[in-house]
Amino acid sequence: MFTGLKCTEDKFPAEALQKAGYRTLIWGQKTYNGVALLSKVDPQHPWKGWPEGESSDEARIIAADFGGVEVLCVYVPNGQAVGTDKFDFKMKWLGKLHETIHQRLKKNQAILICGDFNIAQSDLDVHDPQQWKDQCLFSDSEKKALNRLLELGLVDLYRATHPSEPGFTWWDYRSGAFPRNHGLRIDLILASSHLLDQVEDIYVDRNERKGEKPSDHAPVICVFKAAAFPSW
DNA sequence: ATGGTAGCAGAGCTA
């Protein structure tokens, strides 16, 4: 699962990935956004934008069914700052995501929603909750929107298995945030609750935030037991 | 105190 490709599909290394054995679902966009799903099994019923055919100008969500579990890759708008037009757009986008997930859970569809949520939910998810209080990524309205998603019946897989580890996934490029561990946990894997028992291992790979030209995010790696996807 | 860094694209916007 990838977000923030910042390129059109022709610039994404799909061929190399396919040679390495991955199926690729890509929704690219010039300069901004962009999402992709890689898999070792065939995706079924893929869609992007919004599921009922509603179009979207921004490449922020791509999904497909993999062996009976629908996987949604999301790049939630950053929101820039509380009170801006971009923040309003973020809140509206989260409303649509809520409705989309609600429809799927109503049909008992097993789902996994992973990506950059651009929201830190609790004090444990933030290096300095006082500094971040009421700021974009940590405002009450954003936290409430994320809580509404979870209340539909989803589990935050990392937090459920690591109740006291911060598990930061993002550190600003500025001010030496990574070496100081001034991070936030904003990249999440939310799942239908029955999938929690199927988690073999889940962790943040901090090594991806090191080295030459790293992303400002580190990936959350989740390994499921084979029983989670019986048809694979 | 409104900085600071990075990517894309080729200046300024977004994060």
Side-chain angles (χ1 to χ4, degrees):
Chain A
M1 184 285 309
F2 294 91
T3 68
L5 306 183
K6 293 185 171 185
C7 67
T8 48
E9 283 154 48
D10 54 305
K11 301 225 169 65
F12 189 82
E15 274 183 41
L17 289 161
Q18 284 155 13
K19 277 181 188 165
Y22 291 97
R23 280 65 155 181
T24 56
L25 282 176
I26 306 153
W27 187 16
Q29 181 181 333
K30 189 181 176 186
T31 312
Y32 303 115
N33 310 318
V35 284
L37 279 171
L38 308 189
S39 60
K40 297 239 170 157
V41 297
D42 288 326
Q44 294 177 326
H45 313 297
W47 54 268
K48 59 191 182 180
W50 300 105
E52 311 307 331
E54 185 184 349
S55 65
S56 169
D57 294 335
E58 303 198 355
R60 294 186 176 278
I61 185 165
I62 193 164
D65 191 291
F66 299 93
V69 178
E70 188 170 43
V71 179
L72 283 69
C73 168
V74 302
Y75 182 34
V76 176
N78 171 282
Q80 198 168 66
V82 177
T84 62
D85 289 348
K86 288 191 168 54
F87 191 85
D88 293 341
F89 176 72
K90 177 181 197 172
M91 298 309 296
K92 288 198 180 84
W93 198 93
L94 286 164
K96 283 190 185 182
L97 182 64
H98 184 278
E99 180 57 25
T100 299
I101 294 166
H102 182 46
Q103 292 303 325
R104 281 163 155 64
L105 290 174
K106 267 204 312 202
K107 295 177 197 159
N108 261 345
Q109 168 72 57
I111 59 175
L112 199 61
I113 307 142
C114 40
D116 180 359
F117 282 76
N118 271 317
I119 304 171
Q121 195 200 9
S122 74
D123 285 4
L124 184 57
D125 299 323
V126 178
H127 68 92
D128 185 345
Q130 273 309 308
Q131 182 196 316
W132 279 90
K133 185 175 160 56
D134 299 327
Q135 299 298 304
C136 186
L137 309 185
F138 197 55
S139 71
D140 289 343
S141 50
E142 291 163 281
K143 291 184 218 174
K144 189 177 173 189
L146 181 52
N147 274 319
R148 282 187 67 227
L149 283 184
L150 292 164
E151 284 163 7
L152 289 170
L154 297 171
V155 180
D156 176 346
L157 294 182
Y158 184 87
R159 184 53 74 228
T161 51
H162 300 74
S164 57
E165 284 280 313
F168 299 149
T169 65
W170 174 82
W171 300 261
D172 201 309
Y173 284 123
R174 298 167 288 191
S175 313
F178 183 63
R180 296 174 185 201
N181 201 25
H182 288 181
L184 269 63
R185 191 176 73 96
I186 56 177
D187 300 278
L188 309 175
I189 302 174
L190 311 184
S192 305
S193 51
H194 75 279
L195 287 171
L196 177 58
D197 293 335
Q198 303 301 325
V199 174
E200 179 87 45
D201 192 15
I202 182 166
Y203 60 94
V204 179
D205 186 1
R206 294 173 55 93
N207 288 324
E208 292 286 343
R209 186 60 177 78
K210 304 171 185 171
E212 293 268 313
K213 288 189 168 291
S215 164
D216 46 354
H217 295 255
V220 184
I221 310 297
C222 185
V223 181
F224 286 97
K225 298 171 187 171
F229 302 92
S231 68
W232 284 19

